[in-house]
């Protein structure tokens, strides 16, 4: 039986902790060892993995969403569609043709399926885009929500459908799939965590960081997923040891920590990952060495997982 790729979801309860930095550099370290890597940007309101990889958005495709269109001539005004719409997205007044309210419609298609008169036609609405490209031998799949649209989870679901198709049809195409999530603990993030073999929440050594980390760990635990934490900017104001000890005392599993390092800032500015072997960063730098330790631990985790 072919081995399917391992899926690692990089997440974090709070914005700006360095999720994308970690996702991109972990992807780069696997790529450096000639692994076939697919990196998915599921932060669909702010997709920016490609910027940190120095790439561009290519091969755009539309993400459409079902929208009900009511054919007035066929509608008997029975109200069955409105009665059964769990989102209350069909405004129905006795004896009138229902009016779809698209801002609350979930696109579930139930009304279309149950209308006894065939008066509901499937129509579609563009809610965003997907991009597929290859940057420095890393395959990128990016979702982007259209401004003013609210259905970010639908874009994430669409990305995950592509992942499932790849896994089912070409299980050997990739060795590793890395999913980068939006911040927070909402349904988009839940979908991406639910796909993971390992979840990496990224935090920083502050009270806010800890509070949001605990929230995301609660979600990960509810979903029964394995996780290991990265503490980014760990040398911030000298709280590293205290913060790591505090996490240990709470039995929180730690994958590693990354200290503040100018090279990380340079990598953001230049759009070149810190761990890119071709890039001109210090190979003795604190962040570089820390990422290598994290990578070693990930390889150990893969080895253990393959031998369980
Ligand atoms: S179920 Fe069909 S026929 Fe009945 S009100 Fe809705 S659209 Fe009209
Ligand atoms: S698609 Fe689903 S949510 Fe939208 S109007 Fe129809 S039943 Fe309601």
């Amino acid at each position: 039986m072919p081995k399917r790729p391992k899926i690692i979801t990089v997440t974090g309860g709070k914005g700006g902790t360095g999720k994308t930095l970690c996702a991109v550099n972990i992807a780069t370290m696997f790529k450096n060892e000639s692994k076939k890597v697919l990196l998915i940007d599921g932060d669909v309101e702010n997709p920016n993995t490609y910027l940190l990889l120095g790439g561009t958005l290519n091969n755009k495709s539309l993400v459409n969403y079902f929208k009900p269109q009511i054919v007035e001539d066929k509608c008997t005004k029975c109200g069955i569609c409105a009665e059964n719409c769990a989102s209350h997205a069909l405004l129905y007044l006795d004896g009138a043709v229902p009016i779809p309210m698209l801002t609350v419609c979930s696109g579930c298609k139930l009304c279309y399926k149950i209308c006894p008169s065939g008066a509901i036609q499937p129509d579609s609405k563009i809610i965003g885009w997907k991009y597929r490209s290859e940057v420095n031998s890393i395959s990128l799949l990016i979702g982007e929500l259209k401004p003013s649209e609210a259905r970010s989870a639908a874009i994430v679901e669409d990305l995950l459908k592509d992942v499932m198709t790849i896994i089912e049809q070409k299980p050997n195409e990739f060795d590793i799939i890395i999913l980068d999530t939006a911040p927070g603990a909402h349904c988009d993030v839940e979908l991406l965590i639910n796909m993971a073999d390992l979840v990496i929440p990224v935090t920083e050594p502050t009270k806010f960081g800890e509070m949001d980390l605990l929230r995301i760990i609660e979600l990960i635990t509810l979903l029964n997923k394995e996780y290991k934490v990265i503490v980014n900017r760990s040398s911030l104001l000298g709280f590293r040891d205290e913060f790591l000890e505090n996490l240990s005392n709470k039995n929180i599993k730690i994958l590693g920590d990354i200290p503040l390092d100018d090279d990380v800032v340079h990598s953001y500015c230049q759009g070149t990952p810190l761990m890119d072997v071709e890039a001109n960063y210090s190979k003795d730098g604190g962040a570089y060495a820390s990422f290598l330790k994290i990578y070693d631990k990930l390889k150990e985790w893969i080895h253990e997982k393959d031998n369980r």
Side-chain angles (χ1 to χ4, degrees), residues 11-274:
T11 189
K14 181 176 169 307
T17 53
K19 283 179 297 84
T20 301
L21 171 85
C22 291
V24 163
N25 280 293
I26 289 170
T28 302
M29 290 187 287
F30 278 109
K31 183 267 305 193
N32 289 345
E33 290 201 340
S34 304
K35 300 290 182 209
K36 295 170 283 179
V37 183
L38 173 63
L39 175 59
I40 294 180
D41 196 332
D43 186 356
V44 299
E45 290 187 45
N46 292 296
N48 50 23
T49 44
Y50 70 101
L51 291 174
L52 199 46
L53 277 168
T56 50
L57 292 174
N58 299 320
N59 301 317
K60 188 174 184 171
S61 59
L62 298 175
V63 180
N64 289 302
Y65 206 61
F66 171 84
K67 107 176 160 179
Q69 190 183 41
I70 300 182
V71 182
E72 293 194 13
D73 293 350
K74 287 190 177 178
C75 176
T76 59
K77 305 172 182 122
C78 66
I80 290 173
C81 54
E83 269 167 40
N84 289 282
C85 172
S87 305
H88 306 293
L90 290 161
L91 179 64
Y92 174 68
L93 300 173
D94 262 353
V97 175
I99 302 169
M101 294 182 291
L102 297 180
T103 46
V104 284
C105 168
S106 69
C108 70
K109 297 187 185 167
L110 182 73
C111 52
Y112 164 64
K113 290 177 191 157
I114 63 171
C115 172
S117 315
I120 299 187
Q121 299 292 310
D123 197 357
S124 65
K125 182 181 180 207
I126 296 165
I127 57 164
W129 306 275
K130 285 186 298 185
Y131 305 86
R132 185 85 195 254
S133 56
E134 187 88 10
V135 185
N136 297 328
S137 304
I138 292 174
S139 291
L140 261 182
L141 176 60
I142 294 169
E144 185 184 21
L145 184 70
K146 189 177 173 185
S148 85
E149 270 297 339
R151 294 182 188 92
S152 51
I155 307 261
V156 171
E157 276 169 1
D158 205 288
L159 293 173
L160 291 180
K161 244 188 251 164
D162 288 358
V163 174
M164 290 313 297
T165 306
I166 290 168
I167 291 174
E168 279 161 18
Q169 295 179 1
K170 296 179 183 171
N172 293 321
E173 187 170 358
F174 296 104
D175 299 307
I176 191 106
I177 297 177
I178 296 174
L179 310 175
D180 183 21
T181 79
H186 46 87
C187 53
D188 306 16
V189 178
E190 182 182 335
L191 287 167
L192 292 162
I193 288 176
N194 217 12
M195 282 290 287
D197 297 305
L198 177 70
V199 185
I200 302 180
V202 181
T203 189
E204 59 182 20
T206 63
K207 284 286 172 203
F208 297 120
E210 184 186 341
M211 194 182 76
D212 291 328
L213 175 66
L214 294 178
R215 271 162 48 84
I216 198 78
I217 288 178
E218 201 181 324
L219 175 64
I220 295 166
T221 310
L222 275 174
L223 295 171
N224 207 16
K225 295 290 173 181
E226 187 178 357
Y227 76 87
K228 292 172 193 286
V229 172
I230 292 180
V231 180
N232 188 28
R233 302 187 196 99
S234 57
S235 54
L236 191 69
L237 301 174
F239 288 129
R240 176 187 182 274
D241 293 349
E242 194 185 317
F243 192 79
L244 291 177
E245 194 185 329
N246 178 28
L247 296 190
S248 274
N249 290 340
K250 291 187 163 88
N251 291 322
I252 291 174
K253 295 156 210 134
I254 299 164
L255 183 63
D257 67 291
I258 301 159
L260 287 169
D261 188 326
D262 285 353
D263 275 349
V264 171
V265 183
H266 291 152
S267 83
Y268 275 117
C269 296
Q270 290 167 15
T272 312
L274 180 75

